[in-house]
């Protein structure tokens, strides 16, 4: 008598880890040090940071699913170009949607929306996970890693806009009387080097709390 294989729950412990682990010990930015360029360039303000994060979540999750569905039909020799075609198609969709509904933000993001196609996180997950797993785990892996990436972008954008411009989401947050008392926005914070410093502080804080992440010399 053949054994009946039990169907794995959609949100089993294994699948839940695909969502939660990229937020911490396998975070794409602070642990794997991927996708740093966009994290430095578009986090001057919170709004473009959130839009970029949502864009990457969409592209990463959908492309991971598409590649997972096609994985048994893709010849190994052309797998990279196939992945690039899928990613590029999704990036074009995202770019057109942003231009249609949030044109000002799309201008702030500039070429970095188009450069999602070269984002190391997306190519890495498609190659390491989408090519070897079923669509549902691939979708969760894409969502988890996209949120892990976006989480860091939002934190960096939050502090850079607050300290550099005195605003959040373009709304004035620091009251005028603080400026009247002599406070000035920190212009250095909106420069790319400060984004690198903020990311470095986040990396240091994470490793301080989780000693497992500290590499041996």
């Amino acid at each position: 008598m053949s054994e009946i294989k039990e169907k794995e729950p959609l949100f089993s412990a294994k699948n839940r880890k695909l969502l939660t682990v990229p937020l911490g010990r396998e975070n794409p930015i602070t642990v794997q040090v991927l996708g740093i360029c966009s994290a430095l360039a578009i986090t001057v303000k919170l709004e473009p940071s959130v839009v970029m994060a949502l864009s990457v979540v969409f592209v990463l999750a959908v492309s991971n699913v598409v590649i997972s569905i096609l994985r048994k039909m893709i010849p190994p020799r052309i797998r990279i170009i196939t992945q690039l075609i899928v990613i590029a198609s999704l990036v074009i969709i995202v770019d057109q949607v942003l231009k249609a509904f949030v044109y000002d933000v799309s201008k702030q993001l500039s070429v970095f929306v188009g450069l999602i196609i070269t984002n190391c996180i997306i190519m890495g997950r498609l190659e390491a996970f989408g090519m070897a797993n079923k669509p549902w785990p691939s979708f969760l892996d894409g969502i988890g890693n996209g949120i892990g990436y976006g989480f860091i972008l939002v934190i960096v954008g939050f502090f850079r806009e607050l300290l550099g411009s005195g605003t959040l989401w373009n709304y004035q947050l620091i009251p005028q009387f603080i400026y009247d008392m002599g406070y000035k926005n920190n212009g250095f914070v909106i420069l790319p080097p400060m984004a690198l410093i903020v990311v470095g502080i986040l990396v240091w804080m994470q490793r301080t709390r989780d000693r497992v992440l500290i590499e041996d010399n």
Side-chain angles (χ1 to χ4, degrees):
M1 182 176 178
S2 61
E3 295 182 3
I4 299 176
K5 187 176 181 180
E6 292 187 7
K7 189 175 181 180
E8 182 179 9
L10 291 178
F11 291 98
S12 62
K14 179 182 176 182
N15 286 340
R16 288 200 302 272
K17 282 186 176 180
L18 297 174
L19 289 172
T20 57
V21 171
L23 300 178
R25 285 189 174 178
E26 294 183 9
N27 186 276
I29 293 181
T30 60
V31 178
Q32 302 178 46
V33 197
L34 299 174
I36 291 293
C37 296
S38 57
L40 304 183
I42 53 87
T43 52
V44 176
K45 292 201 170 184
L46 184 59
E47 186 178 14
S49 304
V50 172
V51 172
M52 186 67 171
L54 293 176
S55 300
V56 171
V57 169
F58 169 77
V59 173
L60 182 50
V62 177
S63 61
N64 227 8
V65 171
V66 173
I67 291 299
S68 174
I69 294 172
L70 300 175
R71 69 187 188 282
K72 294 182 180 178
M73 296 180 281
I74 302 174
R77 287 183 297 178
I78 63 168
R79 70 185 192 284
I80 299 298
I81 190 65
T82 304
Q83 294 168 9
L84 288 173
I85 291 172
V86 172
I87 297 170
S89 302
L90 294 169
V91 169
I92 291 172
I93 293 173
V94 169
D95 188 43
Q96 294 302 308
V97 170
L98 293 181
K99 287 179 178 176
F101 295 101
V102 283
Y103 183 68
D104 290 339
V105 177
S106 71
K107 287 198 300 183
Q108 293 179 49
L109 292 173
S110 184
V111 298
F112 288 95
V113 172
L115 288 177
I116 291 175
I117 189 174
T118 62
N119 192 310
C120 309
I121 300 170
I122 299 175
M123 287 296 295
R125 297 320 300 170
L126 264 58
E127 184 71 4
F129 200 92
M131 287 294 294
N133 290 277
K134 295 179 179 179
W136 176 245
S138 298
F139 176 74
L140 296 179
D141 180 79
I143 293 290
N145 280 277
I147 294 176
Y149 165 84
F151 180 59
I152 301 301
L153 253 65
V154 170
I155 293 176
V156 177
F158 175 89
F159 285 107
R160 292 185 73 192
E161 181 175 358
L162 179 62
L163 301 177
S165 304
T167 61
L168 274 181
W169 208 273
N170 295 321
Y171 289 101
Q172 189 64 41
L173 203 67
I174 298 179
Q176 183 58 42
F177 76 88
I178 299 293
Y179 291 100
D180 295 337
M181 294 170 63
Y183 176 80
K184 292 185 179 180
N185 293 327
N186 190 335
F188 181 63
V189 177
I190 62 176
L191 298 177
M194 192 60 197
L196 187 61
I197 292 173
V198 175
V199 171
I201 292 173
L202 293 175
V203 171
W204 170 73
M205 292 175 63
Q206 186 178 14
R207 280 163 171 70
T208 301
R209 292 187 58 185
D210 192 346
R211 312 294 291 184
V212 174
L213 296 174
I214 299 177
E215 298 90 355
D216 295 329
N217 293 322

